[in-house]
């Protein structure tokens, strides 16, 4: 039976199990008499939507979690967020320090474990140099944790080998924002979702991965019949089902499609000449400044009729998408890993920005290119505080002497004492462990033995390297490679800040005491650093509030400025968007626009100022179509893509412990298109072997119309059936982000 769009939206919301009320999940076994003693404000532990939560505590235990009505999610949570409480009490929590003895991890005292880890760091640095040690962190660590770890390694140990999982996730989005606008992070906010009349969703399964935002988009569509949704994705995801137009494209053809949309816009004269003439530079790939006419010549290769075969999208659909994008009164673009996890992820980001810049659909409520961030604190922690190997806090770069000198002054270090050489990016770092060049690594809040691409290759390095892990759950497979494990306080067992997609910083307040001997990660980091011999003057903090205050000061004098976001305000308010220079500033919804962005003086002569660029103009880049690193063809005729399912978080160390969730997706599976399945005699539930140039693995088939013919999809949450053993580790040359989304494979019924 056909389903009307209206009904679909209702059903989609129901299927995503949104919860506005606190629930006591069965897994918690909360008794009927349990009553909340106090509610503590926080932020959901999972995705970059950054929903505010209220944590219900009774007798020192979290018994329920509900949405914060004062945060952007207005009290709504998805199932994962609402079922966070049982994760805290999972029996697999690491509650004591562990060290490896005779091949087994055994309990140890804090002193023993800290001394052992510190001695290995000291030894490696003494025998080789600071580049022989590394930190690998996470977009799920608190801002204070990432800022501190990065400072300890870069300033204390003089090693710039500071990386984290955002390299696997947001690096191409960062590269896109920086090369187009000169500064990282989105310029819009979630308020744009309530005002947009066109949503252009490309390479994002918003419905499953940012469900509370999807609900907001669906509600917007339901309330205004003029709202149009375009989805560009090679899978018919739940997201695509509310689309007015779904461009079901061939994987890897985004660059051609985006240029083709620009072609239509320009040829139909739907561009905003006054805007781009004043605020935009057109640049070739070789960074040569050209004029609008040269851009038109570049676009001539992307006539929809000429690329429809390559893209697998009818020319009429590309034309329609371009017209809707340009003719709507307000267009918001949303994208995520279908764009970023590609060897031309930065370019694809640039081309999305291009569409906004040529149409002037930017910096007005409802018009914005809004990259969806994956993790709860990839923005606030790793991107903003500079937790990557080429960065220093607040957008500063290691390679720039002036930037290093600013930090040296702020951190009380001698001039020119920071290491000027950028460290190794994530994939190079794990290769250096394989090569024996990086000898000791500290990981925090990440599970690389499951999440890296072509993962078997890099487990060798994890085995070789002395591996110190701060990890909350004993069944995380990376612990098989750990030599020392420190037990951290988890989620609301310590205090700190998360910064989500819309530049909103919000406080996660400590609600309960951590179990056993668990300690806040900042305390672990400080103790370890002191034992390695880091100058105590560099880390003089009594608690994480002090770290936050220092970070506020470090942000001042930069366009990130959030001096006004004090701890006291964060305790009272449910999040504040930077820039926010003073305590009476309300936070910023729209950047780069006079009167909105406090970085632009009110008497600035022009309305827009892209101050990240020397002449204040953003860049429209001429980026050509390029194929994937390993396109389907020959002996490997299928494209394999990987991604997420609504209920599981990443490596499932947390969601896998909630029975209500685990039951819905017990194992990984492979999605096969009905036509392909028929041709190969594959039925739903049959065993199907996938073979790539890196190995093979057998999954149960889910036959349907989600994947286009020629495409198969496998989720990567399952450590027992881990698709990352088969994925390619090719990277974007600019962002160094791996191409998780495309590799070639064979499909065979077994
Ligand atoms: P993915 O499933 O990785 O999720 O959020 P998303 O990026 O939305 O992939 C997104 C889409 O890319 C898929 O629908 C896929 O079909 C499409 N795609 C594949 N190849 C191409 C292509 O060539 N072009 C285009 N245009 N699209 C393509 C990821 C986000 O989710 C992230 S980064 C994190 S860290 C969080 N993780 C997470 C989770 O683990 N589980 C859940 N439930 N939510 C999460 N939210 C966040
Ligand atoms: P997580 O499961 O989030 O995955 O990859 P990972 O970061 O490796 O790992 C978090 C770890 O921290 C878990 O082991 C968890 O138990 C632990 N933990 C939880 N809470 C705490 C805490 O409070 N403190 C500490 N110290 N530890 C804690 C994510 C990465 O995976 C990302 S971000 C992306 S976008 C990539 N996406 C992707 C993909 O789309 N496809 C494929 N095939 N692979 C991918 N890998 C990447
Ligand atoms: Fe948590 Fe994301 Fe769900 Fe919000 S949408 S409740 S942040 S998992």
């Amino acid at each position: 039976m056909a389903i009307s769009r209206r009904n679909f939206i209702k059903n989609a919301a129901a299927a995503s199990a949104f919860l506005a009320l606190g629930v006591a999940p069965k897994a918690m076994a909360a008794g009927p008499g349990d009553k909340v003693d106090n509610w503590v404000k926080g932020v959901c532990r999972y995705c970059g939507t950054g929903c505010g939560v209220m944590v219900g505590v009774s007798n020192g235990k979290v018994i329920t979690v509900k949405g914060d009505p004062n945060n952007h999610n207005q009290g709504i949570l998805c199932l994962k967020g609402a079922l966070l409480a049982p994760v805290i009490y999972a029996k697999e929590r690491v509650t004591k320090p562990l060290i490896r003895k005779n091949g087994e991890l055994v309990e140890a005292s804090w002193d023993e474990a800290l001394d052992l880890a510190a001695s290995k760091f000291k030894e490696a640095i003494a025998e080789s140099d600071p580049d022989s040690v590394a930190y690998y962190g996470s977009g799920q660590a608190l801002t204070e944790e990432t800022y501190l770890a990065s400072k300890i390694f870069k300033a204390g140990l003089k090693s710039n080998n500071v990386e984290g999982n955002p390299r696997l996730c947001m690096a191409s989005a960062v590269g896109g924002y920086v090369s187009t606008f000169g500064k990282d992070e989105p310029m819009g906010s979630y308020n744009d979702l309530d005002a947009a009349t066109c949503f252009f969703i490309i390479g994002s399964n918003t419905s499953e991965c940012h469900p509370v935002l999807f609900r907001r988009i669906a509600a917007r569509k339901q309330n205004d019949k003029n709202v149009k949704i375009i989805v560009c994705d090679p899978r018919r995801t739940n997201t695509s089902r509310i689309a007015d137009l779904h461009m079901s494209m061939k994987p890897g053809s985004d660059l051609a499609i985006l240029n083709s949309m620009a072609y239509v816009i320009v040829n139909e004269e739907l561009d905003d000449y006054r805007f781009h003439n004043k605020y935009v530079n057109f640049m070739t790939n070789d960074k040569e400044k050209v004029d609008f006419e040269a851009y038109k010549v570049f676009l001539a290769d992307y006539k929809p009729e000429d690329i429809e075969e390559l893209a697998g999208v009818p020319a009429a659909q590309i034309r329609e998408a371009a017209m809707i994008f340009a003719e709507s009164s307000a267009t918001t673009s949303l994208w995520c890993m279908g764009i970023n996890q590609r060897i031309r992820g930065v370019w694809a980001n640039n081309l999305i920005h291009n569409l906004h810049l040529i149409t002037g659909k930017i910096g007005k409520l409802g018009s914005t290119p809004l990259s969806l961030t994956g993790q709860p604190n990839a923005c606030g922690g790793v991107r903003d505080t500079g937790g990557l190997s080429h960065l220093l806090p607040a957008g500063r770069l290691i390679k720039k002497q002036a930037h290093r000198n600013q930090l040296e002054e702020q951190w009380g270090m001698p001039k020119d004492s920071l290491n000027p050489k950028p460290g190794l990016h994530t994939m190079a770092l794990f290769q250096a462990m394989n090569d024996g060049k990086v000898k000791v690594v500290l990981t925090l809040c990440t599970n690389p033995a499951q999440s890296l691409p072509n993962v078997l290759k890099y487990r060798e390095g994890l085995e070789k390297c002395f591996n110190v892990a701060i990890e909350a759950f004993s069944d995380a497979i990376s612990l098989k490679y750990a030599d020392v494990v420190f037990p951290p306080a988890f989620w609301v067992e310590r205090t700190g800040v998360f910064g989500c997609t819309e530049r909103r910083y919000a406080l996660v307040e400590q609600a309960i005491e951590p179990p056993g001997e668990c300690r806040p990660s900042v305390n672990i980091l400080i103790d370890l650093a002191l034992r390695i011999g880091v100058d105590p003057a560099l880390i003089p903090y009594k608690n994480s509030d002090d770290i936050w205050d220092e970070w506020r000061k470090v942000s001042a004098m930069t366009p990130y400025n959030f001096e006004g976001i004090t701890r006291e305000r964060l305790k009272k308010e449910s999040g504040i968007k930077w820039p926010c220079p003073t305590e009476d500033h309300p936070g910023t919804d729209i950047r780069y626009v006079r009167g909105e962005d406090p970085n632009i003086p009110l008497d600035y002569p022009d309305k827009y100022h892209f101050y990240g660029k020397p002449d204040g103009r953003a860049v429209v880049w001429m980026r050509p179509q390029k194929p994937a690193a390993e396109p389907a063809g020959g002996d490997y005729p299928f494209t394999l893509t990987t991604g997420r399912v609504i209920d599981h978080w990443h490596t499932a160390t947390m969601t896998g412990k909630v029975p209500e969730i685990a039951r819905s997706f017990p194992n990984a599976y492979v999605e096969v298109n009905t036509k392909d399945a028929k041709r190969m005699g594959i039925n739903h539930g049959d065993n199907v072997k996938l073979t790539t140039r890196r190995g093979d693995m057998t999954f149960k088939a889910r036959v349907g119309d989600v994947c286009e013919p020629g495409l198969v999809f496998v989720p990567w949450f399952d450590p027992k059936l881990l698709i990352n053993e088969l994925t390619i580790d090719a990277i974007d040359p600019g962002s160094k982000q791996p191409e998780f989304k495309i590799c070639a494979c064979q499909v065979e019924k077994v």
Side-chain angles (χ1 to χ4, degrees):
M1 190 184 71
I3 184 166
S4 72
R5 173 155 297 124
R6 197 181 163 79
N7 276 340
F8 169 71
I9 292 170
K10 263 166 55 191
N11 294 347
S16 298
F18 292 104
L19 297 163
L21 300 169
V23 288
K26 280 210 186 88
M28 274 297 296
D34 284 349
K35 195 166 103 336
V36 170
D37 299 332
N38 61 316
W39 290 101
V40 183
K41 188 165 64 62
V43 182
C44 171
R45 164 68 188 73
Y46 294 118
C47 86
T49 301
C51 296
V53 297
M54 300 300 296
V55 176
V57 180
S58 171
N59 288 324
K61 278 193 94 178
V62 175
I63 60 161
T64 187
V65 175
K66 66 179 180 179
D68 176 356
N70 299 316
N71 210 316
H72 66 79
N73 52 309
Q74 299 181 334
I76 309 287
L77 297 177
C78 78
L79 198 62
K80 286 189 299 304
L83 293 181
L84 258 163
V87 180
I88 304 174
Y89 302 104
K91 63 180 187 327
E92 293 85 355
R93 279 291 299 273
V94 182
T95 54
K96 289 202 162 132
L98 306 171
I99 59 176
R100 193 167 293 279
K101 277 190 181 161
N102 302 322
E104 298 290 319
L105 283 174
V106 294
E107 287 177 9
S109 70
W110 272 101
D111 276 337
E112 201 182 351
L114 283 163
D115 282 342
L116 175 62
S119 69
K120 294 292 175 182
F121 273 98
K122 282 196 285 197
E123 231 170 78
I125 294 169
E127 276 173 16
S128 318
D129 56 39
D131 292 343
S132 62
V133 302
Y135 169 78
Y136 185 66
S138 173
Q140 299 160 62
L142 295 171
T143 302
E144 293 81 349
E145 292 166 0
T146 301
Y147 174 81
L148 174 64
S150 184
K151 185 177 178 190
I152 288 172
F153 276 74
K154 289 173 183 165
L157 304 179
K158 306 285 158 52
S159 171
N160 289 330
N161 289 336
V162 171
E163 277 284 298
N165 58 16
R167 184 71 78 178
L168 311 177
C169 182
M170 300 314 301
S172 296
V174 176
Y177 277 123
V178 172
S179 50
T180 296
F181 301 103
K183 292 279 166 219
D184 185 22
E185 301 280 3
M187 64 281 290
S189 79
Y190 298 154
N191 295 344
D192 291 299
L193 304 179
D194 305 326
T197 48
C198 165
F199 291 92
F200 178 51
I201 304 178
I202 177 163
S204 154
N205 186 1
T206 325
S207 157
E208 300 206 45
C209 296
H210 297 88
V212 169
L213 294 183
F214 182 72
R215 184 184 182 278
R216 197 156 163 178
I217 295 165
R220 170 87 188 107
K221 179 148 183 68
Q222 199 161 21
N223 294 334
D224 184 344
K225 64 179 174 22
N226 296 315
V227 170
K228 294 270 189 272
I229 298 182
I230 307 164
V231 169
C232 186
D233 194 304
R235 292 168 61 231
R236 262 176 221 91
T237 58
N238 207 31
T239 309
S240 75
R241 291 177 207 272
I242 62 164
D244 297 273
L245 172 60
H246 174 206
M247 289 191 275
S248 189
M249 31 97 67
K250 286 189 189 159
S253 59
D254 307 76
L255 295 159
I257 293 172
L258 292 162
N259 276 330
S260 192
M261 287 173 67
Y263 171 95
V264 175
I265 289 168
V266 165
N267 281 279
E268 296 288 335
E269 297 184 354
L270 292 171
D271 58 302
D272 182 342
Y273 185 81
R274 280 173 56 187
F275 180 88
H276 65 69
N277 189 40
K278 185 159 183 171
Y279 296 116
V280 163
N281 286 322
F282 293 89
M283 294 256 199
T284 68
N285 234 355
D286 301 325
K287 300 191 181 159
E288 189 197 336
K289 218 194 274 188
V290 293
D291 60 13
F292 182 50
E293 292 309 311
Y295 177 59
K296 279 169 113 173
V297 171
F298 163 79
L299 291 178
D301 287 345
Y302 296 94
K303 194 172 166 199
E305 289 69 18
D306 295 342
I307 65 130
E308 63 180 351
E309 197 183 324
L310 180 149
V313 179
Q317 284 193 2
I318 299 175
R319 288 186 181 279
E320 191 187 346
M323 305 287 274
I324 298 173
F325 187 106
E327 287 184 330
S328 98
S329 56
T331 299
T332 287
S333 296
L334 301 164
W335 67 99
C336 205
M337 291 307 116
I339 289 294
N340 292 349
Q341 287 176 339
R342 307 271 301 284
I343 56 155
R344 286 299 172 190
V346 175
W347 289 10
N349 272 265
N350 291 143
L351 296 189
I352 296 170
H353 297 315
N354 282 3
L355 295 179
H356 287 269
L357 289 169
I358 60 173
T359 55
K361 293 199 182 299
I362 194 160
K364 299 168 194 141
L365 192 63
S367 281
T368 198
L370 184 66
S371 140
L372 290 170
T373 301
Q375 299 178 88
N377 201 28
C379 287
V382 176
R383 288 161 72 171
D384 297 354
T385 73
L388 292 174
S389 60
H390 62 294
L391 290 177
L392 287 168
R396 297 170 175 106
L397 295 174
I398 280 173
K399 66 177 185 205
K400 285 202 174 169
Q401 186 180 18
H403 290 181
R404 291 197 306 279
N405 290 163
Q406 282 170 14
L407 261 299
E408 285 151 356
E409 200 184 322
Q410 302 236 18
W411 286 344
M413 299 169 70
K415 193 163 180 241
D416 293 330
S417 58
L418 279 169
N419 180 350
K421 194 173 131 229
L424 300 168
H425 62 80
T426 292
M427 297 317 297
L429 181 66
F430 285 94
Q431 183 58 49
M433 292 182 210
N434 281 359
D435 298 341
K437 289 183 185 148
V438 166
K439 295 177 175 143
V440 186
V441 65
L442 172 67
T443 60
L444 185 143
C445 206
T446 179
N447 192 2
Q450 179 163 343
S451 55
L452 291 173
N454 193 4
V455 70
L456 294 183
K457 174 172 160 192
Y458 299 103
R459 282 186 189 168
E460 269 176 46
L462 284 168
E463 189 89 67
K464 266 192 205 164
C465 190
F466 191 86
N467 206 311
V468 181
I470 306 182
E471 164 60 57
F473 296 97
S474 58
D475 53 346
I477 57 177
S478 295
L479 291 196
K480 286 190 183 153
Y481 306 89
D483 298 289
V484 176
V485 184
F486 294 123
F490 171 73
W491 192 39
V492 291
E493 294 164 359
R494 85 294 200 207
T495 296
V497 174
F498 273 173
C500 71
T501 294
E502 61 164 358
R503 290 173 286 104
R504 179 191 290 265
Y505 285 159
L507 193 65
V508 183
E509 289 191 61
Q510 180 172 1
I512 51 168
E513 288 302 318
E517 296 182 28
C518 293
R519 301 174 63 197
S521 293
V522 293
N523 299 27
I524 304 174
L525 289 166
I526 291 172
D527 265 10
L528 180 64
L530 292 174
R531 286 175 203 232
I532 302 173
V534 169
D535 179 357
L538 276 175
I539 41 177
Y541 318 109
K542 285 189 301 299
N543 52 37
S544 79
D545 294 1
D546 292 349
I547 304 175
W548 179 255
D549 281 339
E550 179 178 306
W551 166 221
R552 272 173 53 225
K553 291 201 180 67
V554 168
S555 79
M557 314 296 292
T558 76
Y560 284 70
N561 193 350
F562 55 88
E563 254 211 301
I565 307 184
T566 60
R567 263 313 208 241
E568 290 66 37
R569 272 187 83 178
L570 285 170
K571 279 184 187 155
K572 283 191 235 129
E573 299 173 43
S574 291
I576 304 160
K577 292 167 224 162
W578 64 265
C580 175
T582 54
E583 286 185 41
D584 55 2
H585 191 280
T588 301
D589 285 329
I590 303 180
R591 287 161 89 202
Y592 305 130
V593 175
R594 188 189 55 207
E596 299 277 351
D597 184 334
N599 291 310
I600 305 175
L602 286 174
D603 59 356
Y604 189 76
D606 298 323
K607 183 171 173 214
Y608 290 83
H609 183 32
F610 296 105
Y611 44 76
K613 292 286 182 187
D615 60 1
R617 285 169 173 248
V619 178
V620 165
W621 286 99
M622 292 151 66
R623 306 295 201 193
Q625 167 65 23
K626 289 273 180 208
E630 194 185 70
D635 290 343
Y636 296 87
F638 279 81
T639 301
L640 165 65
T641 192
T642 64
R644 292 155 172 83
V645 293
I646 184 161
D647 285 344
H648 275 302
W649 178 258
H650 291 172
T651 65
T653 59
M654 293 173 278
T655 44
K657 295 186 174 59
V658 183
E660 289 89 339
I661 287 181
R663 269 197 300 274
S664 59
F665 288 99
N667 303 111
Y669 54 85
V670 58
E671 277 172 7
V672 186
N673 177 271
T674 315
K675 283 187 197 146
D676 289 331
K678 198 168 172 200
R679 190 166 46 80
M680 293 188 285
I682 298 171
N683 292 310
H684 200 77
D686 281 353
N687 284 331
V688 168
K689 185 163 90 171
L690 302 186
T691 307
T692 70
R693 292 184 173 90
R694 290 148 295 280
D696 62 68
M697 202 174 284
T698 298
F699 300 87
K700 294 275 178 219
R702 283 198 184 182
V703 176
D705 70 345
V706 179
C707 283
E708 278 288 295
L711 177 70
V712 289
F713 167 85
V714 180
W716 63 280
F717 64 81
D718 186 350
K720 297 178 299 308
L721 279 176
L722 183 53
I723 193 63
N724 291 35
E725 295 183 15
L726 307 194
T727 54
I728 194 171
D729 52 356
I731 54 172
D732 181 305
S735 68
K736 320 294 183 198
Q737 180 163 348
E739 188 154 69
F740 284 111
K741 285 291 176 269
I742 301 176
C743 71
C745 86
Q746 299 165 356
V747 177
E748 198 188 333
K749 181 178 168 175
V750 287

